[in-house]
Amino acid sequence: KNYKEYYAIAAQQCAEIIGNKDNPHKLDDFESVWKSVCQLKSNAANENLYEVAFGVGQNGDIGTLIGVNLGAGTTYGPKGMGGGNVKSNAYYFYSFDSLDVRRDLTLSNISYTATGYYPPSASAGKEGETMSGDPSTGGWNFAKWRYNWMTSTYMAGYATATARLATGINWIVMRYSDVLLMFAEAENELTAAPDALNETAGISARTALETV
C-alpha cells in the first residue's frame, strides 16, 4: 500500500550517487565489463559496484557450468566446459535488435567440439565450431563468460586438470548501469515526468535510461 515510499528511497539514494561530484563510477564498454571479470581484473571504469569474490581453483562455476560451450577432448582440455547447466532460448536472442552489440556478447549458439566442424562436410572429424542444436528452439549458452577471455593461469591449470576446475570468476551483483536504471524507474514512477530534471542527480529519468 505504501510502495511509493520505497521508490522514493531508491530514487534518492541513486540520485545521490549519480550527482556526487566525486562519483568514481561510469559506464564501460559492454564487452570490457565481461572480459575484465573473466580475467579476474578490476573493471577500469569502476562500473562494477559489488562482486561476490571467488578464487581460481577455490570457487566459481561461472565459465564452466555457465558459459560458451567447449566439448570434451578438444585442445582446450579433456573434460569440456560451459553451458551445461544454465541455458537460454531463441526468444531471448531475437528480442535484441540485430545491431545491438550486447546480443552476441550475451548469448551464443556455438559449441567448440573435438569432432564437429561447420560446415560438417568441409572438414569432418576436425576440431572446430558447430551449432548447438536448432537455433530456433534451444542450445543457447550464455556468452559473457568465455574460456578464451580467462587468465593464462586458469588455462594452464585446466589443460591438465582431471576434474572441473573452479574458475575464480567473481559474480557481479550490481553495476553502475543498475543504479542509472533504478533511478530512471523510480523517478518516473514518482513524478510521471520522465524529462523533468532531478536536481540531486543532475539528469532526468529519460536521460538516465538513454545513457545505459
Side-chain angles (χ1 to χ4, degrees):
K1 292 179 179 180
N2 62 336
Y3 76 97
K4 284 195 174 182
E5 293 181 17
Y6 296 94
Y7 268 106
I9 294 169
Q12 181 65 23
Q13 292 291 308
C14 291
E16 289 177 4
I17 295 171
I18 296 167
N20 187 336
K21 64 181 179 63
D22 295 321
N23 175 19
H25 306 288
K26 59 183 179 180
L27 298 181
D28 195 7
D29 174 78
F30 189 74
E31 181 174 325
S32 178
V33 170
W34 304 105
K35 273 190 173 180
S36 61
V37 77
C38 284
Q39 293 168 1
L40 312 185
K41 295 179 180 178
S42 298
N43 181 259
N46 280 325
E47 179 170 342
N48 299 345
L49 276 72
Y50 178 51
E51 300 177 5
V52 176
F54 292 133
V56 175
Q58 303 297 318
N59 302 96
D61 286 325
I62 311 159
T64 54
L65 299 184
I66 310 173
V68 174
N69 188 60
L70 296 179
T74 64
T75 54
Y76 297 108
K79 297 160 296 305
M81 60 185 286
N85 284 46
V86 182
K87 289 182 177 289
S88 188
N89 54 48
Y91 296 103
Y92 183 33
F93 181 83
Y94 289 109
S95 72
F96 287 88
D97 186 280
S98 62
L99 299 179
D100 190 333
V101 297
R102 296 172 300 176
R103 185 190 70 175
D104 294 341
L105 290 166
T106 299
L107 297 162
S108 172
N109 187 243
I110 297 298
S111 291
Y112 297 87
T113 67
T115 57
Y117 202 87
Y118 186 81
S121 59
S123 301
K126 291 187 178 180
E127 182 175 301
E129 298 180 359
T130 187
M131 285 189 173
S132 303
D134 185 342
S136 67
T137 57
W140 292 94
N141 295 321
F142 289 99
K144 295 173 180 177
W145 307 280
R146 308 182 183 203
Y147 176 85
N148 58 314
W149 287 350
M150 295 184 194
T151 65
S152 57
T153 299
Y154 180 82
M155 291 182 180
Y158 177 78
T160 58
T162 57
R164 191 172 74 248
L165 181 66
T167 63
I169 298 173
N170 290 355
W171 184 258
I172 302 172
V173 177
M174 184 174 289
R175 294 163 34 210
Y176 186 55
S177 52
D178 295 311
V179 174
L180 289 165
L181 293 175
M182 287 189 291
F183 169 78
E185 178 185 348
E187 185 72 4
N188 184 65
E189 179 69 21
L190 292 168
T191 66
D195 294 305
L197 179 70
N198 179 291
E199 293 186 2
T200 302
I203 58 174
S204 67
R206 189 187 305 276
T207 300
L209 175 64
E210 292 179 347
T211 298
V212 178

